[in-house]
C-alpha cells in the first residue's frame, strides 16, 4: 500500500443530534408526481422529494446553539435584547455601523433602493440578481451589467469570475456622469454566474475608483463567507488570514450592505440592511416601519434575530466554511469524473450543469434543462432548479426568451446532507445522460 499521498479530507466540524426522516418514493410514485407537477420541479410537493437541491436559501440546519438561542427570544415590540445582540455581532463581524433588520434579503433591497435611487439613475453591478434588479427598477433606476466577460463563459477557468470590469464601469461614468450613479451594486459570490467570487484586489481597485468619483459601493453580502473562502484559497497574501478577517476586510471597502441571512448566516428566515452613513440609516429606519416593522425587529421575531446573531458567528468559522464549500467541490468533482459538463470553476453554493452540452440531442425549444431536472427527479427523487428557457420567462406575445445559458442548478443546503447523498446526486445525474429522448 502506498502511504505517501494519503489525502487530508475535510470533514464536518459537527455531529448529528437530530434527524429529519425523508419519504422514500418508488419510480411509479415519482412519475405520477412529476406529471401532476407539469414536469416542473418547482411545483412538486416537498414530501415527494428525497434530496432537495432547489435552493440553499432558508434550508440550512441550525446548530444546537442557535436552537437554544431561539428560547432566549425577547418578544418585546421595541428594543428587544436580541436586536442589540444582533447589532453588536453585525458591527463586530462585518464592521458596518448601523443595522436595520428585515424579514429577508429582498426586504432590505426594497428599502435601500428607495433611499438611494432617484428616477433616471444608473446602477452598475456585477451581474443582476432577480430581486435586486427588480427593486432597483421599481425605485426608478436602470441596472447595467459591469461584470468581466469571463463570467458569461461557463468554460472559462478564471478564478475570480465575479470581478468587476473597471473599464466597463468607467464607460458608464463617462456616458452618464457620476451624479446619476448613486452606487455600484457589488455582490460577493455572484449567484447567477454560478457562485463565482470577486477578488480582494478587484474590490480595492473598485474602492479607489468609486472614491475618486464620489460613488458608493453597496454590497450584496448574502454569500460573503463563501467568497472569503475562495480568496483565502486562491489569492496571494490571504492563505494565513482567517475567514473572519477576510470577511471584515471585504466589507471595509464598501459603504453598506443588504443581506439575505437565509444563506451564509444559517437561519431559516431573516435579513438586514447595514450602512455606515447616518443619513442613509435614518431614512432607512423611517421606511422600515412602513414595509417591515419597527426598526428594532424589521418583521422578525426576537428569537429569529437571536438565531441570526449566533448563525453569523458560526458562518465565519474556518472549519465550517471549509466543510461547506468542500462538500460542494466534492459533488462537482464527482460530476467531472462522470464527464458531466458543469460551470467552471466550481462555485461556493452549488453545481451548475450545462444542459445544452449534456443533452445535445434536445434543441433549446424543447427545454433541455427542464428535461434534465425532470429526468433526475424521476430517477432518484433529487430535486434541482431549471435555470434556462423556462426561468427566463416569456415575451408579451407569448413566445419564449432564449437565454445563452441553459443550466440546471444543484444548490446545496448548509449542514443538511451527507457525502453519501452527494454520491447519489452525481450518480443519478450521470444516468440521465443514458436516457434516450424521442424528438
Ligand atoms: C436563491 C435565493 C436569494 C438572493 C440572492 C442574492 C445574491 C438577494 C437574494 C434575495 C432565492 C431566490 C430568489 C429569487 C429567485 C430564485 C431564488 N436567492 N441576493 O435560491 O434574498 O430570498 O432572502 O429575499 O441569492 O438563490 P431573499
Amino acid at each position: 500500500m502506498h502511504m505517501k499521498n494519503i489525502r487530508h479530507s475535510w470533514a464536518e466540524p459537527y455531529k448529528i443530534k437530530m434527524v429529519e426522516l425523508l419519504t422514500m418514493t418508488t419510480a411509479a410514485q415519482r412519475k405520477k408526481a412529476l406529471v401532476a407537477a407539469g414536469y416542473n420541479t418547482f411545483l412538486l410537493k416537498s414530501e415527494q422529494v428525497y434530496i432537495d437541491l432547489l435552493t440553499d436559501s432558508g434550508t440550512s440546519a441550525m446548530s444546537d446553539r442557535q436552537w437554544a438561542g431561539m428560547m432566549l427570544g425577547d418578544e418585546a415590540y421595541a428594543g428587544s435584547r436580541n436586536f442589540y445582540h444582533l447589532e453588536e455581532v453585525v458591527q463586530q463581524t462585518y464592521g458596518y455601523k448601523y443595522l436595520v433588520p428585515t424579514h429577508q434579503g429582498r426586504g432590505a433591497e426594497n428599502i435601500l433602493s428607495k433611499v438611494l435611487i432617484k428616477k433616471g439613475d444608473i446602477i452598475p453591478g456585477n451581474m443582476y440578481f432577480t430581486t435586486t434588479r427588480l427593486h432597483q427598477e421599481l425605485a426608478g433606476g436602470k441596472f447595467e451589467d459591469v461584470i468581466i466577460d469571463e463570467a458569461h463563459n461557463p468554460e472559462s477557468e478564471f478564478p475570480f469570475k465575479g470581478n468587476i470590469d473597471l473599464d466597463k464601469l468607467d464607460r458608464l461614468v463617462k456616458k452618464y456622469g457620476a451624479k446619476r450613479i448613486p452606487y455600484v451594486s457589488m455582490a460577493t459570490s455572484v449567484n447567477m454566474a454560478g457562485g463565482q467570487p470577486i477578488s480582494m484586489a478587484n474590490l480595492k481597485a473598485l474602492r479607489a475608483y468609486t472614491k475618486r468619483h464620489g460613488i458608493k459601493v453597496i454590497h450584496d453580502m448574502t454569500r460573503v463567507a463563501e467568497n472569503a473562502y475562495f480568496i483565502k484559497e486562491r489569492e496571494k497574501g490571504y492563505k494565513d488570514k482567517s475567514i473572519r478577517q477576510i470577511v471584515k476586510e471585504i466589507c471595509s471597502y464598501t459603504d453598506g450592505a443588504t443581506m439575505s441571512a437565509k444563506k451564509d448566516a444559517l437561519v431559516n428566515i431573516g435579513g438586514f440592511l447595514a450602512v455606515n452613513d447616518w443619513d442613509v440609516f435614518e431614512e432607512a429606519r423611517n421606511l422600515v416601519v412602513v414595509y417591515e416593522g419597527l426598526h428594532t425587529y424589521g418583521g422578525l421575531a426576537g428569537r429569529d434575530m437571536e438565531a441570526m446573531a449566533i448563525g453569523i458567528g458560526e458562518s465565519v468559522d474556518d472549519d465550517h466554511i471549509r466543510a461547506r464549500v468542500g462538500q460542494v467541490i466534492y459533488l462537482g468533482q464527482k460530476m467531472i469524473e462522470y464527464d458531466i459538463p458543469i460551470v467552471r470553476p466550481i462555485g461556493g453554493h452549488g453545481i451548475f450543469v450545462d444542459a445544452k452540452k449534456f443533452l445535445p440531442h434536445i434543441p433549446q425549444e424543447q427545454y433541455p434543462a427542464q428535461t434534465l431536472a425532470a429526468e433526475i427527479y424521476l430517477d432518484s427523487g433529487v430535486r434541482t432548479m431549471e435555470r434556462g428557457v423556462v426561468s427566463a420567462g416569456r415575451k408579451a406575445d407569448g413566445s419564449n426568451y432564449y437565454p445563452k445559458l441553459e443550466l440546471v442548478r444543484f444548490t446545496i443546503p448548509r449542514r443538511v446532507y451527507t457525502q453519501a447523498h452527494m454520491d447519489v446526486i452525481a450518480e443519478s445525474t450521470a444516468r440521465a445522460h443514458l436516457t434516450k429522448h424521442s424528438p
Side-chain angles (χ1 to χ4, degrees):
M1 198 175 169
H2 295 289
M3 303 295 276
K4 264 199 211 132
N5 294 321
I6 299 177
R7 75 179 244 236
H8 275 278
S9 278
W10 57 270
E12 292 79 1
Y14 53 81
K15 59 181 176 177
I16 296 164
K17 189 178 314 219
M18 189 193 273
V19 295
E20 177 178 338
L21 298 181
L22 299 172
T23 326
M24 304 301 287
T25 50
T26 62
Q29 286 170 324
R30 290 194 293 275
K31 185 154 193 190
K32 207 170 147 212
L34 197 60
V35 171
Y39 297 90
N40 180 351
T41 52
F42 252 108
L43 298 180
L44 288 167
K45 291 181 181 156
S46 158
E47 264 181 357
Q48 299 163 331
V49 174
Y50 172 42
I51 302 173
D52 203 347
L53 307 181
L54 201 57
T55 177
D56 64 328
S57 180
T59 52
S60 297
M62 292 209 296
S63 67
D64 50 354
R65 290 168 214 186
Q66 286 177 289
W67 279 108
M70 299 278 281
M71 289 305 292
L72 302 176
D74 170 6
E75 309 305 342
Y77 192 84
S80 157
R81 84 171 107 88
N82 311 118
F83 167 77
Y84 295 106
H85 182 200
L86 178 64
E87 182 183 52
E88 190 191 324
V89 168
V90 167
Q91 287 165 345
Q92 280 178 2
T93 314
Y94 305 125
Y96 297 119
K97 281 192 198 147
Y98 309 114
L99 168 76
V100 178
T102 58
H103 79 286
Q104 59 183 70
R106 66 197 76 180
E109 291 167 355
N110 173 36
I111 291 163
L112 184 99
S113 303
K114 282 199 162 66
V115 173
L116 291 181
I117 300 172
K118 295 187 308 296
K119 198 169 166 19
D121 280 353
I122 303 294
I123 324 295
N126 51 349
M127 206 171 259
Y128 78 97
F129 185 73
T130 48
T131 58
T132 320
R133 182 176 65 187
L134 198 60
H135 282 300
Q136 291 163 353
E137 288 173 355
L138 286 171
K142 182 170 182 287
F143 177 84
E144 290 274 3
D145 191 6
V146 291
I147 203 164
I148 55 170
D149 289 340
E150 284 87 340
H152 296 284
N153 173 7
E155 281 163 35
S156 159
E157 290 277 1
F158 191 72
F160 291 105
K161 284 163 97 172
N163 278 0
I164 288 176
D165 185 331
L166 291 177
D167 290 333
K168 286 187 191 171
L169 178 60
D170 192 51
R171 281 199 286 278
L172 288 178
V173 171
K174 291 213 166 93
K175 184 168 170 195
Y176 297 103
K179 284 218 160 55
R180 280 181 65 190
I181 303 180
Y183 64 92
V184 174
S185 182
M186 183 282 294
T188 35
S189 296
V190 180
N191 190 357
M192 302 300 270
Q196 303 293 330
I198 181 167
S199 74
M200 200 72 91
N202 186 248
L203 263 174
K204 280 189 206 170
L206 175 70
R207 172 76 297 177
Y209 178 90
T210 50
K211 208 170 191 173
R212 273 205 307 281
H213 292 86
I215 299 171
K216 288 184 165 58
V217 176
I218 297 294
H219 177 195
D220 181 340
M221 62 182 299
T222 296
R223 297 180 182 87
V224 64
E226 289 166 9
N227 196 119
Y229 179 76
F230 287 122
I231 289 178
K232 186 177 165 83
E233 290 288 298
R234 298 176 187 166
E235 196 163 350
K236 218 172 138 235
Y238 288 92
K239 191 162 71 65
D240 298 322
K241 293 226 159 99
S242 66
I243 295 298
R244 187 177 266 284
Q245 285 172 316
I246 299 171
V247 162
K248 200 154 183 188
E249 186 180 339
I250 291 173
C251 297
S252 76
Y253 302 128
T254 70
D255 301 286
T258 54
M259 171 64 145
S260 169
K262 299 171 71 172
K263 284 84 168 173
D264 246 16
L266 299 162
V267 285
N268 304 120
I269 193 73
F272 60 78
L273 165 63
V275 292
N276 290 332
D277 187 304
W278 173 265
D279 294 334
V280 175
F281 169 61
E282 255 207 331
E283 256 191 79
R285 200 167 50 165
N286 291 335
L287 275 186
V288 78
V289 186
V290 182
Y291 293 101
E292 306 277 315
L294 199 74
H295 66 279
T296 55
Y297 77 85
L300 295 168
R303 55 178 174 270
D304 298 328
M305 291 189 283
E306 191 59 32
M308 201 197 308
I310 298 168
I312 289 170
E314 293 175 1
S315 79
V316 293
D317 175 81
D318 283 53
D319 294 320
H320 159 73
I321 205 74
R322 178 163 179 255
R324 189 300 187 262
V325 180
Q327 186 177 50
V328 175
I329 291 174
Y330 175 86
L331 174 62
Q333 276 164 353
K334 275 251 132 146
M335 297 248 193
I336 293 169
E337 279 167 31
Y338 283 123
D339 283 330
I340 300 165
I342 63 171
V343 173
R344 305 288 191 99
I346 296 167
H349 68 309
I351 303 299
F352 293 70
V353 173
D354 187 340
K356 264 197 219 165
K357 237 176 137 185
F358 193 43
L359 304 177
H361 53 289
I362 304 181
Q364 202 174 10
E365 304 81 68
Q366 288 174 22
Y367 314 112
Q370 184 85 331
T371 306
L372 180 56
E375 197 66 62
I376 293 167
Y377 172 73
L378 205 56
D379 179 72
S380 58
V382 171
R383 168 155 74 172
T384 54
M385 187 192 272
E386 193 265 3
R387 299 265 85 183
V389 195
V390 180
S391 305
R394 288 194 167 134
K395 298 178 199 165
D397 67 3
S399 63
N400 287 321
Y401 280 111
Y402 288 103
K404 203 170 140 222
L405 294 180
E406 181 73 21
L407 307 175
V408 176
R409 185 177 86 162
F410 295 61
T411 353
I412 313 298
R414 295 164 187 80
R415 308 196 289 207
V416 171
Y417 293 114
T418 66
Q419 192 152 315
H421 286 122
M422 298 301 122
D423 292 343
V424 167
I425 297 159
E427 290 157 16
S428 180
T429 310
R431 272 197 296 274
H433 191 49
L434 305 175
T435 315
K436 293 272 171 289
H437 298 95
S438 46

